[in-house]
Amino acid sequence: MKRILTILLTIMMLSTLSVNYVAAEETPDITVTLDGNKIDFPDAKPYLYKDRTLVPIRFISEAMGADVAWNGDEKEVTIVKGRDTIITHILSSKATLNGVMYAFDVSTRITEDRTFVPLRFVAEMLNCDVDWDESTYTVTITSPPEPVAFPEPELTVHFPEHEFEGKLFWITMDNVRDYSDCNNYQFKIEFTNPTEFNVIDINMGAILDWETHNINSWRNAKKNGDEIFSVSSKYYTTLENKEKLELKDGMPLEFTLSVKRLCSGEIREYHYTETFKYPYPAKQ
């Protein structure tokens, strides 16, 4: 009987070893490339955890041109690249990028005395693109393109031909697609003549009544077109201003366009003069 039990236990142990061996064979080493160059991991290797690729943070960050600092007392990791600073903590699934909190689905952890982080999250926070090829267990990281010179805006001021269009005029940036070398740009229009266009009253209904809004504020370009600003033929200034502002065909329009490049914080200003075309009366 003892001999039978011994044989059974031996078979079970061999089966377990066989399963582990097959599992290891089915999980090959993960290759990570950056702009076509393979990144070497001299000791701790990348591995999969919950379908996420975890990598030693120091090797991957330094390969991407970032500096890494470790605060053992706080169990805090800091990654700095250019203007960007990422801070995360061991066993945390959150990180801050320039003070803004973000969450990811796998926590930072220590494996083989190395701090491991989810590769995609860190790479994308540093504005890199990440692709995963499951057939070859290869992660491909592509750095963002080099910043281009700040584009010069190409504006057109449009005037409607028919009253049903509901606008006094609108402004398009005809080369808005040139503003694509970082995450986003924002635009702001401020009128120097007539300044009354900078503030409007809107009828919000019987309960809310009229509300005053400043329209010379930062805004994104519309995703479905190149219009960056418009003035309504109904709400083009405040009720008080309408009593003294007289719209005339041929009157000068003067405004300043400000463009903010969000990824660098740079702001540029451009000054324009246009002649107002007045094809129909404004709605009072």
Side-chain angles (χ1 to χ4, degrees), residues 11-27:
I11 293 173
M12 291 174 64
M13 292 175 64
L14 290 174
S15 298
T16 302
L17 290 173
S18 175
V19 169
N20 289 337
Y21 177 78
V22 171
E25 288 295 316
E26 293 178 350
T27 308

Side-chain angles (χ1 to χ4, degrees), residues 205 268 280:
R268 292 191 181 183
Y280 59 83

Side-chain angles (χ1 to χ4, degrees), residues 57 60-62 64-71 75-90 92-104 108 115 117-128:
I57 192 170
I60 194 68
S61 298
E62 291 179 349
M64 296 168 65
D67 295 320
V68 182
W70 164 251
N71 184 335
K75 298 188 183 305
E76 179 181 89
V77 182
T78 301
I79 306 169
V80 178
K81 182 179 181 182
R83 295 174 179 266
D84 295 325
T85 299
I86 302 172
I87 299 176
T88 187
H89 296 80
I90 300 301
S92 172
S93 58
K94 297 180 180 180
T96 60
L97 172 60
N98 301 330
V100 180
M101 181 70 72
Y102 295 88
F104 41 104
T108 301
T115 302
V117 294
L119 170 60
R120 179 178 295 275
F121 184 79
V122 173
E124 290 181 350
M125 289 185 87
L126 293 175
N127 297 317
C128 296

Side-chain angles (χ1 to χ4, degrees), residues 157 159 251-255 272-277:
V157 180
F159 298 93
M251 66 183 288
L253 292 179
E254 299 175 8
F255 61 90
Y272 296 89
T273 300
E274 185 64 54
T275 301
F276 183 66
K277 298 178 182 179

Side-chain angles (χ1 to χ4, degrees), residues 108-174:
T108 301
R109 61 193 59 238
I110 293 180
T111 304
E112 300 178 22
D113 294 327
R114 292 287 185 184
T115 302
F116 278 72
V117 294
L119 170 60
R120 179 178 295 275
F121 184 79
V122 173
E124 290 181 350
M125 289 185 87
L126 293 175
N127 297 317
C128 296
D129 292 325
V130 181
D131 290 314
W132 165 251
D133 187 343
E134 188 173 2
S135 63
T136 61
Y137 274 68
T138 299
V139 179
T140 302
I141 306 172
T142 305
S143 298
E146 289 295 323
V148 299
F150 207 117
E152 290 294 310
E154 299 174 6
L155 294 193
T156 301
V157 180
H158 304 264
F159 298 93
E161 297 181 1
H162 305 284
E163 184 175 356
F164 63 77
E165 295 184 62
K167 301 177 182 179
L168 283 181
F169 60 91
W170 66 97
I171 301 173
T172 60
M173 182 175 290
D174 304 326

Side-chain angles (χ1 to χ4, degrees), residues 30 46-55 104-107 109 116-121 132 137 139:
I30 296 173
Y47 66 91
L48 290 180
Y49 178 76
K50 294 184 178 180
D51 295 328
R52 293 288 182 261
T53 303
L54 271 67
V55 293
F104 41 104
D105 51 9
V106 176
S107 61
R109 61 193 59 238
F116 278 72
V117 294
L119 170 60
R120 179 178 295 275
F121 184 79
W132 165 251
Y137 274 68
V139 179

